[in-house]
């Protein structure tokens, strides 16, 4: 299996980045990642004075996927996700919903031991929920820094981005140029006080290309749900986008009528905040697959065109 080490790190998603490796569709790739502080805060006693922000939020990559062309969709199966043994949790910056509460106070940094799927917070063992914070492809235009989420993916900070999930990203440039980083051992929905338990790790991703799906935004799938992930300058903007994108997916790809799709969202669609602390906010819309299937069966009249997988679409 091809392995991308931490010698290959980016701080912005850019079409001019030199690929760390070339892979064929269907191949698995292993990525080793730094934590968001590129390991600079791991030493006991280190402070934010020791952190060089030029090297913040590194992502490992990029990987060039052969035959990926603009308009295609990159399918990314998260087959394995492992985090390191020490996670960093900090509070006291000026950003996040608690910025005012902690204003003028010295930041507090804790190094938490992570083992056997649990995080040791001073003797309280918190079950880990490992997730990928940053995962994205190169945008078509100007480079986008790894702190910002947009339709190329990036710093989406979605708690559902864990082992077993499948992410779909629109391909904007030849080869897609996929990079990944910023793992969290756990993160609360919203990432409200600025970070999760920031940690290095490794992941194995299976990469595939779907030709010209017409879906131009990030989507996630797990055993039980379809999920759209949308960004915006505000939560309102991101929320609106996440709902409309799911509605379009249900109508155009899953074959539901507009009324059924809208009513499904009213009955069982969950609008969730991914994070409120990045340069753009991210919101996701989750719908249960079982109900999509039942709605498709109900609409037998056009069952011939109803789809059950992203690939069929
Ligand atoms: Ca992040
Ligand atoms: Ca992070």
């Amino acid at each position: 299996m091809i392995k991308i080490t931490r010698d290959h790190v980016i701080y912005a998603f850019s079409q001019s980045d030199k690929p760390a490796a070339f892979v064929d569709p269907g191949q698995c790739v292993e990525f080793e990642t730094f934590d968001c502080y590129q390991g600079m805060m791991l030493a006991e006693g280190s402070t934010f004075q020791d952190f060089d922000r030029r090297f913040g939020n590194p992502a490992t990559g990029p990987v060039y996927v052969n035959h990926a062309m603009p308009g295609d969709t990159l399918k990314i199966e998260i087959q394995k996700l492992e985090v390191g043994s020490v996670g960093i949790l900090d509070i006291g910056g000026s950003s996040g919903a608690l910025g005012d509460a902690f204003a003028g106070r010295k930041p507090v940094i804790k190094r938490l031991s992570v083992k056997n799927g649990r995080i040791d917070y001073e003797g309280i063992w918190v079950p880990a929920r490992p997730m990928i914070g940053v995962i994205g492809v190169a945008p078509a235009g100007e480079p986008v820094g790894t702190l910002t989420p947009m339709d190329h993916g990036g710093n989406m900070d979605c708690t559902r981005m864990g082992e077993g999930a499948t992410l779909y990203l629109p391909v904007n440039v030849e080869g897609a140029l996929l990079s990944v980083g910023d793992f969290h051992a756990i993160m609360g929905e919203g990432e409200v006080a600025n970070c999760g338990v920031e940690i290095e790790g490794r992941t194995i991703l299976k990469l595939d290309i779907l030709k010209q799906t017409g879906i131009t935004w990030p989507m996630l799938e797990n055993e039980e749900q379809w999920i759209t992930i949308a960004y915006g300058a505000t939560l309102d903007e991101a929320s609106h986008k996440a709902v409309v994108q799911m509605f379009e997916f249900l109508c155009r790809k899953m074959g539901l009528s507009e009324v059924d799709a809208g009513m499904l969202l009213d009955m069982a669609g969950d609008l969730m905040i991914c994070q409120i602390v990045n340069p753009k906010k991210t919101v996701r819309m989750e719908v249960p697959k079982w109900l999509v299937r039942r709605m498709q069966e109900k609409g037998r009249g056009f069952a011939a065109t109803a789809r059950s997988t992203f690939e069929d679409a």
Side-chain angles (χ1 to χ4, degrees):
M1 185 172 19
I2 291 173
K3 181 170 169 178
I4 316 296
T5 66
R6 305 194 300 192
D7 299 328
H8 302 276
V9 159
I10 61 156
Y11 304 96
F13 290 90
S14 166
Q15 57 182 316
S16 56
D17 277 334
K18 194 166 162 281
F22 294 78
V23 308
D24 282 326
Q27 272 192 292
C28 291
V29 184
E30 179 178 348
F31 294 77
E32 283 181 350
T33 63
F34 281 110
D35 64 45
C36 70
Y37 302 117
Q38 200 157 327
M40 282 178 274
M41 306 292 283
L42 283 172
E44 207 53 56
S46 52
T47 69
F48 280 107
Q49 260 91 47
D50 302 306
F51 170 50
D52 185 338
R53 285 176 194 280
R54 287 175 303 167
F55 306 113
N57 228 35
T60 302
V63 162
Y64 185 107
V65 184
N66 295 327
H67 315 298
M69 297 297 288
D72 293 345
T73 295
L74 184 63
K75 179 185 181 189
I76 304 156
E77 286 176 45
I78 306 171
Q79 293 197 335
K80 188 122 213 118
L81 179 55
E82 287 176 359
V83 295
S85 56
V86 179
I88 302 210
L89 194 53
D90 60 81
I91 200 158
S94 56
S95 58
L98 298 179
D100 291 341
F102 283 87
R105 286 159 66 174
K106 198 163 157 259
V108 178
I109 301 163
K110 291 186 192 285
R111 292 164 190 85
L112 308 179
S113 162
V114 179
K115 57 182 167 199
N116 301 326
R118 296 190 305 169
I119 300 153
D120 180 5
Y121 187 95
E122 298 171 349
I124 302 169
W125 288 89
V126 181
R129 282 195 318 210
M131 55 165 276
I132 297 174
V134 170
I135 181 164
V137 293
E142 292 294 303
V144 177
T146 50
L147 283 172
T148 302
M150 287 173 68
D151 278 341
H152 70 292
N155 198 11
M156 294 183 283
D157 284 320
C158 171
T159 55
R160 300 285 193 203
M161 203 75 70
E163 191 172 291
T166 298
L167 172 67
Y168 300 91
L169 287 175
V171 175
N172 309 300
V173 302
E174 281 181 36
L177 298 178
L178 174 75
S179 301
V180 56
D182 185 33
F183 295 178
H184 301 151
I186 194 169
M187 182 195 97
E189 301 290 1
E191 205 178 15
V192 295
N194 215 24
C195 64
V197 174
E198 306 290 335
I199 196 160
E200 62 189 28
R202 63 185 276 273
T203 186
I204 295 175
L205 306 178
K206 182 170 185 243
L207 307 180
D208 262 306
I209 298 167
L210 312 179
K211 294 313 248 184
Q212 309 293 323
T213 63
I215 296 291
T216 56
W217 53 80
M219 285 199 68
L220 198 58
E221 175 183 11
N222 57 39
E223 240 168 66
E224 283 147 21
Q225 300 168 309
W226 290 108
I227 303 168
T228 52
I229 307 172
Y231 75 95
T234 62
L235 282 177
D236 279 356
E237 188 188 334
S239 303
H240 181 259
K241 226 192 264 186
V243 175
V244 170
Q245 289 173 346
M246 180 56 79
F247 177 72
E248 292 208 6
F249 175 75
L250 293 175
C251 296
R252 277 165 40 196
K253 296 294 182 186
M254 297 289 117
L256 301 194
S257 72
E258 290 188 346
V259 170
D260 282 349
M263 290 190 167
L264 185 157
L265 291 179
D266 257 346
M267 284 194 292
D270 289 328
L271 188 64
M272 309 281 289
I273 294 171
C274 293
Q275 56 73 28
I276 59 170
V277 293
N278 295 340
K280 293 189 188 298
K281 319 302 175 213
T282 40
V283 166
R284 67 182 187 272
M285 182 84 227
E286 305 184 342
V287 303
K289 283 178 167 176
W290 75 265
L291 188 50
V292 176
R293 274 194 300 271
R294 292 291 291 117
M295 289 275 192
Q296 288 175 323
E297 286 160 14
K298 182 185 74 69
R300 284 246 180 256
F302 50 88
T305 58
R307 326 289 187 182
S308 58
T309 71
F310 200 96
E311 281 89 335
D312 293 341

